[in-house]
Amino acid sequence: MEIRPYRDEDFSGVKALWEEAFPHDPPANRAEIAIPAKLAVQGELLFVACDGESVTGTVMAGYDGHRGWLYSVAVRGDSRRSGLGTRLVRHAEQALLAMDCAKINLQVRSTNAAVVAFYEALGYAVEDRISLGKRF
């Protein structure tokens, strides 16, 4: 399983993966919107895991000079519990560390206990914060 930067030919595989992994995400998170936006800003921080030609996982990272962020960590259903999610997160962490990032944040739905446990096992901690957002 290779983890590498996203390429244009990965689009349909990433789109299918995200539709499987995030079926209830809002339209702004769909591949058609999120991928072009990411490629315009730190596009080198969008990574895919591939088994041959098939996209089996993704992770998107960002760094603003103060904090790093992880987004869209996804593993295809038939590849879950194989260690691929951990490899994807570690890959993104290394990319952020190379940019001198000192702290990484991420957001998880409060109802998703399994995903919270996954990140806790990787050394992340639930922080007492309130997440705010504003759509334009």
Side-chain angles (χ1 to χ4, degrees):
M1 191 79 53
E2 173 190 23
I3 298 175
R4 59 164 173 74
Y6 172 88
R7 299 177 191 152
D8 288 338
E9 59 266 23
D10 298 323
F11 180 82
S12 62
V14 172
K15 178 179 165 63
L17 170 64
W18 288 0
E19 287 172 352
E20 174 192 330
F22 312 119
H24 305 294
D25 260 7
N29 291 355
R30 290 188 185 137
E32 297 86 352
I33 295 171
I35 290 174
K38 182 60 194 166
L39 295 177
V41 180
Q42 296 179 328
E44 71 278 9
L45 294 178
L46 173 54
F47 302 103
V48 296
C50 293
D51 186 6
E53 300 283 322
S54 179
V55 173
T56 56
T58 62
V59 61
M60 190 169 15
Y63 181 54
D64 62 12
H66 184 63
R67 296 282 187 259
W69 284 85
L70 295 182
Y71 309 89
S72 303
V73 177
V75 175
R76 198 171 62 198
D78 62 359
S79 295
R80 291 188 186 136
R81 303 210 178 272
S82 67
L84 181 55
T86 297
R87 287 183 55 212
L88 284 160
V89 169
R90 297 298 189 220
H91 190 88
E93 288 174 344
Q94 289 303 310
L96 291 169
L97 282 169
M99 300 172 83
D100 293 325
C101 177
K103 182 175 190 261
I104 298 172
N105 293 330
L106 57 92
Q107 294 178 325
V108 175
R109 287 187 173 85
S110 61
T111 57
N112 202 336
V115 172
V116 172
F118 166 77
Y119 285 111
E120 286 178 329
L122 295 178
Y124 289 79
V126 174
E127 297 178 332
D128 187 21
R129 307 283 189 273
I130 294 174
S131 179
L132 302 173
K134 180 179 180 179
R135 289 233 180 256
F136 293 105

